[in-house]
Amino acid sequence: VVYVLQLLGVVAFAASGVVASRSKRPDVVGAVILAFVTALGGGVIRDAILGRPAQSFRDDAFLVAIVVGALLAMALPRVLHRMTPTLRVADAFGLGLFNATGTVIALESGEVSAAFAVLLGAATGAGGGILRDVLCGEMPALLRPGEVYITACLAGGAAGLVVLALGGSMASVSAVIAAVTIGLRLAAIRFGWRFAPLEGVV
Amino acid sequence: VVYVLQLLGVVAFAASGVVASRSKRPDVVGAVILAFVTALGGGVIRDAILGRPAQSFRDDAFLVAIVVGALLAMALPRVLHRMTPTLRVADAFGLGLFNATGTVIALESGEVSAAFAVLLGAATGAGGGILRDVLCGEMPALLRPGEVYITACLAGGAAGLVVLALGGSMASVSAVIAAVTIGLRLAAIRFGWRFAPLEGVV
Amino acid sequence: VVYVLQLLGVVAFAASGVVASRSKRPDVVGAVILAFVTALGGGVIRDAILGRPAQSFRDDAFLVAIVVGALLAMALPRVLHRMTPTLRVADAFGLGLFNATGTVIALESGEVSAAFAVLLGAATGAGGGILRDVLCGEMPALLRPGEVYITACLAGGAAGLVVLALGGSMASVSAVIAAVTIGLRLAAIRFGWRFAPLEGVV
């Protein structure tokens, strides 16, 4: 079940990668590459920091999911425009799953501290979108004042560490991370929670 | 012979890195760094994804080749401007060699699937130029509508997988990848093959 | 003592990361992420190239130092503005220490040649600032005509290789690299040494 959800998350990330980069007018190959980077870039960053080969590069199903997501976004731009709320909800589920698997992989690797494992979970979830914006020559939207996104990952990871400290299994840690991340993200979309720019805060 | 060709490819990539970044007005150290990134960046990305140390960092001959290419491009800007067709042909040979060696290294590593090995070959060939443009704060030219470049890598890699499936040796796989990539790239330069922007296609 | 100096260097790098990115108007989470990238990005690049897990991700003290540096820079923007010379001197010491430890780690890894080890030392010192500027969608200031910074790292590393060739211990190599780098950097700040753009040189 988790594997199928992961594949759906990859489809959603790939489609959102194409939609987000459309204003930069890539060609077809460029658009598929940006979909690829959006979907797998976060996991690649995590694995490079853990000093091990990129796990997603073993499984061609991810490649198929990316091409499906990218082609959907390219073939149905009008439908996707109307489906934007649907795409955002799918993206929220992808974010929660990527954050949960990334944090648990980092915790189980034994290579990083628990606090840094939470950061690697957030990097797994948000790193692909950041890398895509960098490849479009722009400051990543996730670093600018705006929606609650990385913060949802960090809060989910912190909740996971609490479960771990209370003696919970890795499966329950993973489930709590995903649930808190997805819940916060959906609430942020529903209620329009946003961050102010830095000048407005300090 | 392959080793000498690789070094010439590094010289060509380093020179093209300096030429491509001239409009961004780096200083001398910045220009050499951009030449370095253009020449070795693709292989470094491939090795990081394979989870192993960067192979090119063992061999000082690559460093000498980069400095030679960068100094040539800086010392002879007028000559290089007239030599642009020559530089593009040299770049095409470098691309084919990098794509072939990158794909074969990824196939032999056992860490990635065959389809992802083709992508890592393309990353070895085109990753340096992409990284250089990112370091110049621009959307990489290779992702925008334009010349057939990454596509030539992917077609060469696909041809290599066909040879592999037919029972060919790694040497023949490598030769076919290089030949198809270089042939397609030279044909694209000769006949002006270009990709349309995404809006024109869908 | 070296460890405490390293932590102070992380604080200085994190604070300078927030100060340097203020004009891009990130939100609070974005500013802390940019501080994080400025402080640890260089070491992460070095470790990825050496094919091993990021060493800094084992030690939560680095995380505390980053948050302290980032909060200082956010809470005291006016004080920091007046303290800019102080921040630049602290940054120079951080640069020398990062360059020395990065070069020695690369030399001792046995994965790269001595000349490339010097480059990895410079990447450890300057890579974080370069990555921060890339994440702000800008051409890195360190690649543009301007202050002597990467050059100070390379000169320090070269001096370290001389000491190594003369039979010096790793401790003395490290001390010479740090001393030469910090000395050159402070002299460049004091006397206003700058590089001309490329067109002015060739």
Side-chain angles (χ1 to χ4, degrees), chain A residues 49-51 110-113 115-116 119-120 130 134 138-140 143-146 150-151 195-199 201-202, chain C residues 22 24-31 33-34 36 40 44 51-54 56-60 63 74 134-137:
Chain A
I49 288 177
L50 292 175
E111 300 286 0
V112 298
S113 76
F116 276 104
L119 297 184
L120 285 179
I130 289 175
V134 165
E138 289 178 343
M139 181 166 177
L143 300 181
R144 308 176 87 155
I150 297 173
T151 317
F195 277 105
L198 193 50
E199 285 82 346
V201 174
V202 293
Chain C
R22 185 168 287 141
K24 305 296 290 186
R25 312 190 111 234
D27 63 16
V28 173
V29 176
I33 290 173
L34 290 169
F36 183 88
L40 299 189
V44 167
R52 61 180 207 161
S56 53
F57 278 50
R58 295 176 186 281
D59 186 350
D60 288 340
L63 209 50
M74 283 189 272
V134 165
L135 281 177
C136 287

Side-chain angles (χ1 to χ4, degrees), chain A residues 163-181:
Chain A
V163 173
L164 189 68
L166 295 174
S169 67
M170 275 297 171
S172 62
V173 169
S174 184
V176 166
I177 295 174
V180 172
T181 306

